[in-house]
Amino acid sequence: MTAVTRWRYALVTFGIALLGLGGVVLLIQVDPAKYIGIAIWFLGALIIHDGIIAFVVFGIGLLMRRASKKIPFGVLVIVQAALVLGALMTAIVVPEILKKNIGTANPTILPLQYGPNLAIFYGVLAVVTAAAIALYLRLRRPEPVPARVG
Amino acid sequence: MINGAVQRLLHEFRRALAAPSRNPRMAVVLGRLLGAAFLICFGTGLFSHFLQEPLPFMRFPTRPIFLYQLTQGIHITSGILCFPLIVAKLYSVFPELFQTPPIRGVKHALERASIALFVAASLVEITIGLLNTYQWYALFPFPFRQTHFALSFVIIGSLAIHIGIKLPVITKYWSAKTSYDANGDLIPLEREEDADGQFVPAAGELQPVGGVTGRVLGWIDRTPEPPKPKASRRAFLTTIGVVSAAIVGLTAGQSFKVLDAVNVFGPRKNGVGANALPVNRTAKAAKVLETAVAEGWTLTVTNGSASKVFTRPQLLALEQHEVQLPIACVEGWSQMASWKGPRLKDLVDSVGADAGAIIQATSLEQNSSYAVTKMGPEYARDELTLVALELNGEELDIDHGYPARLIAPGRPGVMQTKWLSSLEVLS
């Protein structure tokens, strides 16, 4: 048995032991009637990730690659980065907007203007993205022209 | 026929997803970062857990005074950082979702099941953690703290199993030198059975597919792969860096003062609230609006049969000390504040407390598992630990624990008992 193989067995064994510990903690600390709620969250996470986000990202990736025939590589990269940042920030901030609208236990929880701040963020992101594209196109070295033979 | 079509579809999905930023080296690079973030969250989480529920033998450091502020700020901030990192990690191994055949045997089925558990547990853990900082408890059909705690073991266990399974890939692609050749192309694994992570679809005998699916696949076929692998990979990593910096930068001001000026999305804001300090549980929620301002309020300090009773004017007549201590919530926000009042040790010494005694504090608050808390001698004997009567130069606001509250260095906010009614020296 090689050292790597021994490490593999050790890690998997340790991992299974920790899984068991997690199960025991769950059994002791959480009422079994609540397990169904946890299971729904797990299933929801897999459906939302593997079933929805995965295919949306797949589609966008494909569109981007198609677009790479006509649009310069760097421009696509910048647009892609802006899309990812916008999407992730939206995922983090929209629950704050929703929860603030529902109401909080006291005014010091979620005290900021999340909706307007997000709108400003989108605006800044759009401006910065446009500026980055303009800068890229300006600084870009022209594509090397293949030497003609004959 | 249908089977063949599905297989072809999965194959083509994988091929269409082949990209320079999706290779095992990238998975290792991102896996290291995400793994580190998970371990940091786990360690700081365990620290916070045991501060609240110490095992009998446990004693904790009281310095530096910002210790808990720092560990819990790191816990929440690394948790937020996990969002871009986990998205990037999943993206880098995306084609694996469409591997064919989906199950190649018992071992492979177990491996995929363990990955599904790992991914689901991780996504649920960071999402409920985030929503908990928004105090959106209604979304949880389970108790947050206990579930978050149990899942942390599931995640670290799954992480160990995952590293164990992928160890040959991880060691091979740990350093960039052994990952790419002189042209910047990925060096494949030597052993076929370890080559899972290569994402290069096998050239199988595939049945052609007609109809709409066939046309979509044809369109994929005519789609070129990106021409610049090295630049693509750099662009991908830069994107992750920029996204992570933006998300952390615009939220972490709730935990780290230096970022307060750009805290536009944090669920808490420094300086907002009574006495210029945020509040977690209000007097109204704790149902102490009447008892806390009652004429006859006293603080009872007992040690066995010895007992003393202090009115608020009597507490104010004791030697007063002013200390600068942060209030740091388990939800990650924290803020420095100025507190004034008698030292806890002076009060418990007045009833002859032993130097190693544990102090039990009881609050007026109702319906809270934190209404009665215990404090180890390391905090009780600390000269910075006060029964605070004033906050930031003003009388303690009722939402901050009027008439008197505990404040000690390096403890979670929930343990800094508000609306004190009695202190008991335990033998």
Side-chain angles (χ1 to χ4, degrees):
Chain A
M1 199 187 274
T2 64
V4 171
T5 314
R6 274 199 296 274
W7 270 105
R8 295 182 77 177
Y9 276 109
L11 280 164
V12 172
T13 311
F14 176 67
I16 290 169
L18 272 185
L19 282 187
L21 181 60
V24 170
V25 170
L26 200 67
L27 269 176
I28 294 172
Q29 297 205 348
V30 181
D31 176 6
K34 309 280 185 187
Y35 292 171
I36 182 82
I38 299 175
I40 289 170
W41 265 76
F42 266 60
L43 214 63
L46 285 180
I47 291 172
I48 291 172
H49 173 260
D50 292 0
I52 300 172
I53 297 176
F55 287 96
V56 172
V57 171
F58 179 79
I60 293 174
L62 218 54
L63 283 177
M64 284 275 184
R65 196 188 289 179
R66 272 303 263 199
S68 69
K69 273 184 173 171
K70 289 175 193 153
I71 302 169
F73 170 76
V75 175
L76 274 181
V77 165
I78 294 166
V79 171
Q80 219 162 5
L83 282 179
V84 172
L85 177 53
L88 270 170
M89 201 63 94
T90 304
I92 286 174
V93 177
V94 164
E96 289 184 300
I97 299 171
L98 296 176
K99 176 57 183 158
K100 194 180 165 92
N101 282 342
I102 293 169
T104 55
N106 76 66
T108 72
I109 302 162
L110 301 175
L112 302 172
Q113 297 302 313
Y114 300 98
N117 285 358
L118 189 60
I120 294 169
F121 173 79
Y122 288 149
V124 171
L125 183 62
V127 170
V128 171
T129 307
I133 291 173
L135 194 71
Y136 170 80
L137 291 177
R138 205 143 167 217
L139 296 180
R140 184 167 67 124
R141 273 174 296 182
E143 298 279 329
V145 182
R148 278 167 201 243
V149 182
Chain B
M1 179 68 195
I2 289 172
N3 201 13
V6 169
Q7 197 161 39
R8 166 95 214 265
L9 204 61
L10 287 169
H11 256 290
E12 292 298 334
F13 268 27
R14 286 192 77 190
R15 206 174 60 75
L17 282 167
S21 50
R22 292 198 190 95
N23 68 43
R25 162 69 185 164
M26 193 62 82
V28 170
V29 169
L30 293 167
R32 283 194 303 230
L33 293 173
L34 187 60
F38 278 175
L39 288 174
I40 288 168
C41 281
F42 185 62
T44 49
L46 276 186
F47 180 61
S48 179
H49 175 84
F50 285 119
L51 278 174
Q52 293 169 70
E53 288 179 24
L55 300 175
F57 63 88
M58 285 183 170
R59 294 291 174 267
F60 300 94
T62 62
R63 298 288 184 284
I65 56 166
F66 55 80
L67 180 63
Y68 185 71
Q69 177 180 35
L70 182 69
T71 62
Q72 201 59 12
I74 288 174
H75 182 80
I76 300 295
T77 305
S78 328
I80 289 177
L81 187 61
C82 284
F83 282 91
L85 289 181
I86 200 169
V87 166
K89 177 70 168 70
L90 289 170
Y91 182 85
S92 75
V93 296
F94 197 0
E96 292 298 277
L97 195 58
F98 305 111
Q99 55 185 281
T100 50
I103 305 287
R104 291 198 302 268
V106 177
K107 212 173 142 193
H108 188 230
L110 281 175
E111 188 194 326
R112 289 204 84 181
S114 77
I115 297 276
L117 178 69
F118 190 19
V119 172
S122 305
L123 290 174
V124 169
E125 186 81 333
I126 61 174
T127 305
I128 64 175
L130 182 75
L131 292 174
N132 187 63
T133 68
Y134 304 163
Q135 297 202 0
W136 201 344
Y137 309 129
L139 288 178
F140 308 147
F142 42 77
F144 168 76
R145 200 163 69 91
Q146 291 81 350
T147 308
H148 198 65
F149 182 56
L151 284 187
S152 70
F153 294 105
V154 173
I155 289 167
I156 301 303
S158 301
L159 175 64
I161 294 173
H162 186 57
I163 293 173
I165 291 172
K166 297 289 184 195
L167 202 53
V169 181
I170 295 170
T171 46
K172 163 91 183 178
Y173 297 111
W174 187 263
S175 99
K177 249 186 220 164
T178 55
S179 301
Y180 300 116
D181 63 20
N183 295 326
D185 292 324
L186 192 86
I187 304 168
L189 278 170
E190 286 118 34
R191 285 172 57 201
E192 194 59 26
E193 60 187 282
D194 294 331
D196 259 0
Q198 275 195 66
F199 318 142
V200 182
E205 298 273 321
L206 295 168
Q207 296 178 22
V209 190
V212 179
T213 318
R215 248 172 282 161
V216 171
L217 293 176
W219 192 71
I220 293 173
D221 280 341
R222 292 190 301 275
T223 303
E225 286 191 19
K228 301 166 184 165
K230 206 165 176 182
S232 286
R233 290 195 297 265
R234 277 201 193 134
F236 179 67
L237 285 175
T238 307
T239 300
I240 303 308
V242 168
V243 171
S244 302
I247 288 176
V248 167
L250 299 179
T251 57
Q254 62 167 344
S255 313
F256 301 100
K257 184 94 194 165
V258 53
L259 290 169
D260 182 53
V262 287
N263 178 8
V264 293
F265 294 133
R268 296 293 190 140
K269 178 81 180 165
N270 271 208
V272 172
N275 297 135
L277 193 71
V279 176
N280 216 15
R281 196 154 196 244
T282 59
K284 193 178 168 202
K287 298 198 173 76
V288 298
L289 281 176
E290 283 168 22
T291 50
V293 294
E295 278 289 302
W297 177 87
T298 53
L299 176 66
T300 311
V301 186
T302 55
N303 180 15
S305 56
S307 178
K308 278 199 172 179
V309 176
F310 297 87
T311 63
R312 202 165 190 277
Q314 284 171 330
L315 287 172
L316 280 163
L318 296 171
E319 192 185 338
Q320 303 289 298
H321 298 269
E322 190 164 358
V323 301
Q324 307 294 318
L325 284 179
I327 189 98
C329 185
V330 286
E331 288 157 18
W333 63 270
S334 60
Q335 190 184 324
M336 201 64 179
S338 173
W339 311 86
K340 200 173 169 190
R343 278 183 182 143
L344 176 66
K345 76 172 176 181
D346 291 349
L347 279 170
V348 294
D349 282 351
S350 73
V351 292
D354 191 73
I358 288 171
I359 309 298
Q360 178 170 291
T362 305
S363 167
L364 297 168
E365 70 182 310
Q366 306 291 309
N367 312 325
S368 169
S369 49
Y370 295 98
V372 178
T373 57
K374 288 193 176 77
M375 181 189 272
E378 69 274 35
Y379 298 108
R381 308 307 304 177
D382 196 296
E383 57 185 28
L384 292 182
T385 302
L386 303 184
V387 170
L389 307 170
E390 280 184 24
L391 167 55
N392 288 340
E394 298 165 354
E395 185 172 78
L396 197 61
D397 189 272
I398 191 165
D399 282 339
H400 285 301
Y402 179 91
R405 75 171 299 170
L406 286 178
I407 186 77
R411 294 192 101 198
V414 285
M415 310 295 284
Q416 314 275 29
T417 309
K418 301 199 272 191
W419 313 293
L420 280 176
S421 74
S422 69
L423 295 168
E424 193 182 339
V425 181
L426 303 180
S427 50

